[in-house]
Amino acid sequence: MTLVGVQQRKVAVHDLEVGMFVSDLDRPWHQTPFPIQGFYIRSEDDIRALKSHCRWVMIDVAEVRDTTKFEQGEIKPAFGRRTLRRGGDREELKLPPLAIQEPVTYETTTTLKKEIKVSRQLLDDAELALERAFESLQEGGEADLRPVAEITRKMVASVIRHPDALLWLSRIRAHDDYIYRHSLNTSIWALVCGRHLGLNEGLLNHLGMGCLLSQVGKTVLPRSLLNHEGQFSAEDYARYRTYVEKGLAMLEGTGVSRAVLSVVGGHRERHNGSGFPQGVRGTRIPLMAKVAGIAEYFESLIGPRDGGDDPMTPAKAVSLLYDMRNIEFQEDLVENFIQAIGVYPTGSLVELSDGQRGIVVSHSPERRLWPKVMVMTDQEHKPLKSAHIIDLARYNESRDVNEALIVKECLPHGSEGLDPSRYDVTGAESRWNFSRLISG
């Protein structure tokens, strides 16, 4: 008796045929325009597109095996999760596909221009609310967290209306205190991902508030310790790890929900059990804590503490995050996070293939490599008198692959001549002309 299954086979792109199912590439999926979950080759155009990006791919083929040994009990079938090793000593843990109960599909209901106007003051108010709440919790008094809850509701409402506005504002504004900046930006990344996942508004509120409060335990750690975050000795790292439990203790009795506490307590746990404080893994980590963990890690890469590691470009951070799927972070959550924020997230400084430089204004999940870019320099990197918007997806729509205008590279935040805080995409009080940015 035979058992029919599926196995992968490596095929050079010039040997591909219509009808084959492409299940893996010779490069990360997110660096190509192809669907992350794989796809059937429907036409010769699909083959030509693969040839322009890859040298070889993996295809799924039917596998026929003798099942005699299964029937005789010599081999036991395995079900459920698998534990593998990939990348040296890093343990890989695979779980069944993620399932969101009753997911909500959100429509963008306003333009980026309008939402930025509405939410411009929101992050300043959020930082003030956090500062007051953290100071009160640090002093051990009765902290009133209602202002933080109200700020969270406004942030959730903004992200639901348009997911790019708060991302834009958070990337162009200056922050005085790393803890507040880190908390706010983590919350925004997490909310954008949660919106993409279809979490309902109530869950988004829990997620956002949990992220805002996730760093409160650091306020009782020595400043000298925090200044070396990312460069710890073994002893200092052991002290640093206590901030999660200290934060939970500080929030005890404040009336915050169990869902919020689960985010605070679980945002540093990792998929393969390598996190803290409990070292739990896989399904034992609550979903919202997993989302918060990805968001917090991503923010630590692109916006590290001053004096610490050099900030990573968002594109490099996305690549690193993708490489950690099923190791420190669950695979489908990583993929959803990348789909939500884009390969070049809103606020990323980029150089285009023709030399022009600018900043990503928004992106399309369907065209991850072709975002909308506000161009601020010419091809010689000299500032333009008027900034203008190029929608790469629309620009490249009717052009040949060789004529396409693409993102050549992602630039470090703070690159010379590209200071986003000088520009106002709403067109108000601006020395630049943003009339082309008329729609989200």
Side-chain angles (χ1 to χ4, degrees), residues 147-202:
V148 178
E150 180 59 27
I151 286 294
T152 303
R153 284 191 287 271
K154 291 180 179 180
M155 290 174 63
V156 168
S158 175
V159 168
I160 287 176
R161 290 190 297 265
H162 199 299
D164 288 319
L166 286 186
L167 284 179
W168 172 271
L169 291 170
S170 70
R171 293 295 280 166
I172 68 171
R173 70 193 295 272
H175 299 255
D176 295 326
D177 193 294
Y178 174 79
I179 291 180
Y180 304 138
R181 178 187 74 191
H182 192 72
S183 301
L184 279 171
N185 291 353
T186 294
S187 183
I188 295 168
W189 293 120
L191 288 177
V192 170
C193 180
R195 179 190 191 272
H196 178 79
L197 288 171
L199 301 183
N200 64 46
E201 191 168 349

Side-chain angles (χ1 to χ4, degrees), residues 120 168 374 376 385-387 420-435:
R120 183 175 297 280
W168 172 271
M374 183 178 74
M376 295 179 283
K385 291 183 178 180
S386 293
S421 65
R422 297 173 55 194
Y423 315 127
D424 185 351
V425 295
T426 65
E429 301 177 0
S430 174
R431 46 184 286 215
W432 302 86
N433 176 16
F434 297 100
S435 60

Side-chain angles (χ1 to χ4, degrees), residues 313-325:
T313 66
K316 288 184 179 179
V318 164
S319 292
L320 179 59
L321 196 60
Y322 186 78
D323 191 48
M324 299 174 74
R325 65 199 189 284

Side-chain angles (χ1 to χ4, degrees), residues 16 21 39 66 102-103 145 367 411 433:
L16 291 173
F21 183 84
F39 63 99
D66 185 353
E102 300 180 357
L145 298 182
R367 296 293 184 93
L411 303 172
N433 176 16

Side-chain angles (χ1 to χ4, degrees), residues 75-280:
I75 299 178
K76 301 297 183 182
F79 301 96
R81 61 180 70 101
R82 290 189 297 154
T83 300
L84 306 173
R85 292 276 176 182
R86 177 162 61 89
D89 293 330
R90 299 187 302 175
E91 184 180 25
E92 183 180 1
L93 174 65
K94 289 194 174 183
L95 295 179
L98 182 70
I100 304 295
Q101 293 185 358
E102 300 180 357
V104 179
T105 300
Y106 294 102
E107 299 292 336
T108 300
T109 58
T110 186
T111 65
L112 178 64
K113 177 179 176 179
K114 291 180 180 178
E115 188 57 35
I116 287 176
K117 285 184 176 180
V118 170
S119 301
R120 183 175 297 280
Q121 185 63 35
L122 181 54
L123 294 187
D124 288 333
D125 294 342
E127 189 164 327
L128 180 60
L130 273 184
E131 182 179 3
R132 290 175 176 173
F134 282 21
E135 287 177 352
S136 180
L137 288 165
Q138 188 177 1
E139 293 169 359
E142 290 188 7
D144 183 5
L145 298 182
R146 286 176 296 180
V148 178
E150 180 59 27
I151 286 294
T152 303
R153 284 191 287 271
K154 291 180 179 180
M155 290 174 63
V156 168
S158 175
V159 168
I160 287 176
R161 290 190 297 265
H162 199 299
D164 288 319
L166 286 186
L167 284 179
W168 172 271
L169 291 170
S170 70
R171 293 295 280 166
I172 68 171
R173 70 193 295 272
H175 299 255
D176 295 326
D177 193 294
Y178 174 79
I179 291 180
Y180 304 138
R181 178 187 74 191
H182 192 72
S183 301
L184 279 171
N185 291 353
T186 294
S187 183
I188 295 168
W189 293 120
L191 288 177
V192 170
C193 180
R195 179 190 191 272
H196 178 79
L197 288 171
L199 301 183
N200 64 46
E201 191 168 349
L203 291 176
L204 289 177
N205 275 284
H206 292 315
L207 174 62
M209 189 166 182
C211 290
L212 288 176
L213 297 175
S214 64
Q215 308 295 299
V216 65
K218 292 181 179 179
T219 62
V220 295
L221 294 178
R223 176 71 66 171
S224 58
L225 177 67
L226 296 177
N227 287 339
H228 294 90
E229 193 169 331
Q231 302 172 344
F232 291 128
S233 65
E235 182 179 353
D236 285 344
Y237 185 57
R239 295 176 65 195
Y240 171 79
R241 286 162 54 112
T242 65
Y243 87 83
V244 175
E245 291 171 312
K246 291 182 185 297
L248 288 172
M250 294 166 72
L251 293 171
E252 186 178 354
T254 60
V256 297
S257 68
R258 291 181 62 185
V260 170
L261 292 177
S262 74
V263 173
V264 175
H267 76 280
R268 291 304 296 261
E269 301 290 359
R270 292 295 180 256
H271 184 63
N272 63 358
S274 62
F276 61 86
Q278 300 296 323
V280 294

